[in-house]
Structure formats: structure tokens, C-alpha cells
Amino acid sequence: MAPRARPWAPPPPLLLLLLWVSGHAAPVAGLGLDPGAGLQLERRFVPDRCPRAVRSGDFVRYHYVGTFPDGRKFDSSYDRDSTFNVFVGKGQLIAGMDQALVGMCVNERRFVKIPPNLAYGSEGVSGVIPPNSVLHFDVLLMDIWNSEDQVQIHTYFKPSSCPRTIQVSDFVRYHYNGTFLDGTLFDSSHNRMKTYDTYVGIGWLIPGMDKGLLGMCVGERRVITVPPFLAYGEDGDGKDIPGQASLVFDVALLDLHNPKDGISIENKVIPEHCERQSQSGDFLRYHYNGTLLDGTFFDSSYSRNRTFDTYIGQGYVIAGMDEGLLGVCIGEKRRIVVPPHLGYGEEGRGNIPGSAVLVFDIHVIDFHNPSDSISITSHYKPPDCSVLSKKGDFLKYHYNASLLDGTLLDSTWNLGKTYNIVLGSGQVVLGMDMGLREMCVGEKRTVIIPPHLGYGEAGVDGEVPGSAVLVFDIELLELVAGLPEGYMFIWNQEVSPNLFEEIDKDGNGEVILEEFSEYIHAQVASGRGKLAPGFDAKMIVKNMFTNQDRNADGKVTAEEFKLKDQEAKHDEL
């Protein structure tokens, strides 16, 4: 149940047998107690702890069974299923009970023998208590309070770090067990497996809880004891809490925020070098652990072994994270605390409860902007750096490939062999192709490639994460100049005017693939001709022959045979 006031109909009135009756009758013999004897008490159970005992002027709630000395019952509060509630020492009880209750502890049980002169005397109670009766009472004290009492607070656990405590108008989430002063449980948020969520100090709670919660830290545990006039008063709550009941709340504070709160940021690790900070519109890849304010875990990118990838500043994430991820450096670690109105609000989401403050410990792996191009930093150039790489050149180079956070992806040095490509032929990602241009042999450079010029959103399964910025440390070892664009073979000398006849060695007017291939390879070997470097020479020659074999009959005739400048539509001689 929620500790807030609710209307209730009053309990049925008690019998008047315990109310004060003025006057005393003469003693009556034979009732088991000397009529002149005084009050007799037997403490049948005394609790180990007794922080407070009944004093004159206190208000008490107790159960009792009233019997005559022969064991006949004349009254019982248990039969009415309601405690007897009364002030002590103010004449509202028979004198013997006024005396018998003083010094009792909550949960203490006393057996009381009251002589007639301290009970109903010579008049008795018509039809119920004979005149001059000795009365026995078995009393169990349930509750005790005084009109001068205030809320009592006992903190039994306080966290070592307490950056903020509950103030008036804060919104809190807490668990509690609610008991009466005798320990009887009347309600528990734990049993409902749901925190109690409310504003503090604005009248949403009973006054005692409004006061008792102030000053608590997240993670703190305290016992708040509330007298009835600061709880549900004379009427109780109409259901579980009787009138005039003191209440004890064992409270554990889980969450705390104010509707005026913004996010808070705590920097954990800031890299020594930070060339650029994230801005709205950037695409970030980051790891995070997500917890509630009390440390309860709700999510982690680490557990999925995959970064969380998103645009920032554009509404792709909750508002608090959109704001908290601005201005970060690559490699930075920070804690972002997000109040619920900038998180998942009153409803929550999944295993995030409603109105929960969220704590994200993030580690920024990389970020880029879709408008980014590659970045090239040259670390070394040899003294002679006049011949620069261009489209069509055949390159041999070493590289280390890593992510922006330094995670090594691949290395040709580790493999012990170079990586070989023809520049501009689509053999590497576009960013790498761009990064290798205008480079000389011996040069060392770092090329940073954004994902849209690398492996994109998909990445390479098991090798390159999706949307990853890549870093290549490159050393160019060898450069073989390529052929002019559109050529796979060129002549280094003047072309013989009798070229077809030279190829057609048997003079039958037809050139087959074997004759053509033998001739071209011989020209390359002698230095008279050159094939495009970096490609399969056998395949180039076969394609050249196919281009000359216009009718695709496996033979080239003199009529079919043409040089490149004679037939621009084909990749030929």
C-alpha cells in the first residue's frame, strides 16, 4: 500500500467495562484475591529491545483478554478484532489498568491481577462484572506514542559517496517495508516488485514520510517511525492500517531527481591528444554500460561484443544521450547521468522502470561525419620523391590496419609479405585507393578512412566492424609505372609495318591464340612491348586475341587485325 492518507469508517465502539467507574465498593470474599491487596503483575514476555516504555500521558494500543479468577472470560479485544486504544494516566481506564500499563514495552505481554478497589468496586458492571470482582487481564502491548512525538529516523546504512540528498520537490523511487510498531507487516513494495515513486514535500505523502525522506542519499537505508497524527490519524486508512497506529517504514532509496535537472557529465578519461570533438550530425561508435542510479545493471554493449552506433544531435537516441555525447574525443571515457524526462520518462522501457534516472558509462571508439573525406599524414619522404604514384601503377606496400582506438585489424608485416595492387583498378576500398595516390617509393604515411569510403555500415564479418573508421599506416616499397588509361599492352618501339605477317609465322593467313601469345610474350621479353603491370599476363593476351577475333571463330585474319589507334572501341594492340 502507498503511505498516503485515505478515508475510513471508524471501528465499532468497545465495551465500557474498562472505562473508569467512580467510587469503590466494599470487598467481596471468595474471588481469589484479598480484597485489600494491591495490583499484581507478571511479565510473561519481555522483548530483547525496548527503546521506549509506557509513561503516564502516552497513547497506547493493546490487546487483552479479561477473565475472572475462575477462568471465565468476560471480555476480549481479540473477539472484536480491534485493539483497545486509550491514553494512559488520564483517568480513561480503571485505576489498575492505568497502573499496569506503565513501563510496558511494545510486544511485551503482562498478566495483571486487579483488586476490586482498583477496578469496578462494589458497583461492578450490570450483567457483566459482579460487584467487588477481582479481574485478571492478559495484556499484549501493540503500540505506544505521545502527542509530543516527532518523526524518528534511524539510518543503518549510508553509502560512502553521497553527491546529493533528497530536497523538497524532488522525485524519488524507493522500496519499503511498512510495519506497525510491533513488527506486523502491513505493506511492502518488495512484495509488489515495484518501487514506490513520488514527489517529496508537496503533500503527496503522509506528513511523516514527507519529513522522514528528506536528506536521504541514493543507496541509503533508514527506518522512519511515524506517530499516527503524522500518518493516518484516528481513522486509519480504511483498509490495512487501524486508527491511531504508529507506522514504521524501512526504506531503501533507489533513485532521486528533480524535474528541473539537466544531464550531468563526469569525465573519467580524456585523451592527451584530441584533434576533434564530436558535433551534431556526427556518427559515433561507442561502448557503454547502462545502470540505474543505485547501480542496478540494465544494459551493456560489451555484453553484445558490439559497439552502439548512431548519429548524435538528431534524435536517434534519447535526448539526454544526444546532449551527453556532444563534445567527446575519440578514446574518451565519461559518465552521463540522465534524468527520466530526458530518458525514458514515466513509462520506462523494457527492464528500465518508469521515472528512472539512468547512468551511462561510455567509451568513445570512433566518430566521423558523412561529409568527411580521407585524412593523409605523411611521416617520411625520401630525398628523391619525384616519381609519384598514379592510376594504373602497380604498387607493393606494407601496412598496419587498425581502428581509431588502436585495435589492430591486420598487418602485412605480421604476414611477412607485401600487399600488391594496381592503383585505380578497384582492388582496394575507395579510401585506400585515394590514400595511395601521389606517393613515392620509400614514403611512409597514415591514411584515415571514414566508413563510407571504407567498408560501410556492414563492415567485414568477423574482421571489420560496421561503420568503422579505419587507420592505415603505409610504407610504399615498389612502384611499377602503369600503362596509359585504356591500354593493357603498349609498344616501346615503332610498330613493324608487317606486324600481322610477323605474328603469322606459318604464313597461312590466319593467326591462332598460340601464335599470338608466343609473339606478344616475346616482345615483352625483348623489351619491345609492355603489358599492364599487376594483372595476369596470360589473361591479358587472351583478351587481346579475343578482341582481334571479330567473328569469334578462334582465328584472326589480316582483315580482322587492327591496332588500338585503328579501332578505338576495343582493347587491342
Side-chain angles (χ1 to χ4, degrees), residues 6 12-13 17 41 43 60 105 202 206 223 290 296 299 307 314 370 461 463 486 530 542 550 567:
R6 287 182 282 202
L17 62 92
L41 301 176
R43 303 182 76 182
V60 296
C105 307
I202 62 172
I206 58 175
V223 175
T296 300
D299 192 21
T307 56
Q314 298 186 347
D461 189 32
E463 298 182 34
K530 181 179 179 181
K542 184 177 180 181
R550 321 258 173 198
E567 183 60 80

Side-chain angles (χ1 to χ4, degrees), residues 124-409:
V125 177
S126 179
V128 180
I129 306 293
N132 298 313
S133 294
V134 175
L135 304 180
H136 293 183
F137 289 93
D138 191 342
V139 180
L140 177 63
L141 186 64
M142 310 296 290
D143 198 348
I144 173 177
W145 56 272
N146 193 284
S147 58
E148 296 179 358
D149 286 346
Q150 297 297 319
V151 173
Q152 298 177 40
I153 296 172
H154 168 63
T155 296
Y156 63 92
F157 176 78
K158 194 165 187 175
S160 56
S161 175
C162 183
R164 176 175 175 180
T165 62
I166 296 177
Q167 306 294 323
V168 171
S169 80
D170 283 341
F171 191 90
V172 297
R173 296 191 310 112
Y174 61 90
H175 270 303
Y176 71 91
N177 285 324
T179 65
F180 300 123
L181 214 55
D182 68 338
T184 301
L185 183 72
F186 64 80
D187 191 23
S188 174
S189 63
H190 298 281
N191 291 345
R192 293 190 298 276
M193 300 183 68
K194 189 179 188 304
T195 56
Y196 191 74
D197 308 339
T198 185
Y199 286 95
V200 177
I202 62 172
W204 283 31
L205 292 162
I206 58 175
M209 282 298 281
D210 255 344
K211 183 176 181 180
L213 290 169
L214 292 176
M216 282 192 79
C217 309
V218 171
E220 182 176 340
R221 295 174 179 266
R222 64 169 55 169
V223 175
I224 303 170
T225 304
V226 182
F229 55 86
L230 294 176
Y232 295 96
E234 296 182 6
D235 295 332
D237 75 337
K239 183 180 178 182
D240 302 305
I241 299 175
Q244 303 290 24
S246 300
L247 305 180
V248 181
F249 295 94
D250 192 335
V251 177
L253 183 63
L254 302 186
D255 203 342
L256 159 67
H257 78 278
N258 194 281
K260 297 179 182 179
D261 287 347
I263 66 167
S264 66
I265 294 174
E266 178 185 351
N267 290 318
K268 300 288 188 178
V269 176
I270 299 179
E272 184 177 349
H273 301 289
C274 182
E275 296 181 1
R276 173 181 165 189
Q277 293 179 315
S278 61
Q279 301 174 351
S280 180
D282 284 343
F283 190 90
L284 262 72
R285 295 195 314 116
Y286 62 94
H287 272 302
Y288 71 90
N289 284 323
T291 63
L292 305 180
L293 207 55
D294 68 337
T296 300
F297 170 87
F298 64 80
D299 192 21
S300 173
S301 62
Y302 296 99
S303 64
R304 295 188 294 275
N305 198 29
R306 192 181 191 287
T307 56
F308 189 78
D309 309 337
T310 185
Y311 288 95
I312 61 169
Q314 298 186 347
Y316 285 87
V317 290
I318 57 175
M321 285 297 280
D322 242 352
E323 181 182 350
L325 290 169
L326 294 174
V328 296
C329 304
I330 291 170
E332 182 173 339
K333 295 181 179 180
R334 66 167 50 172
R335 171 169 288 182
I336 304 170
V337 180
V338 181
H341 51 276
L342 297 175
Y344 292 101
E346 295 181 5
E347 296 183 359
R349 179 177 177 181
N351 57 349
I352 298 174
S355 300
V357 178
L358 308 179
V359 180
F360 293 94
D361 287 305
I362 68 159
H363 180 198
V364 180
I365 303 302
D366 71 30
F367 63 81
H368 72 280
N369 194 282
S371 63
D372 287 347
S373 185
I374 65 169
S375 168
I376 298 175
T377 302
S378 183
H379 304 293
Y380 172 76
K381 288 186 178 182
D384 181 11
C385 191
S386 56
V387 178
L388 302 179
S389 58
K390 64 184 184 304
K391 183 178 181 180
D393 288 348
F394 179 67
L395 307 181
K396 293 185 178 182
Y397 60 93
H398 270 308
Y399 71 83
N400 283 328
S402 62
L403 303 178
L404 274 180
D405 67 346
T407 301
L408 185 66
L409 299 176

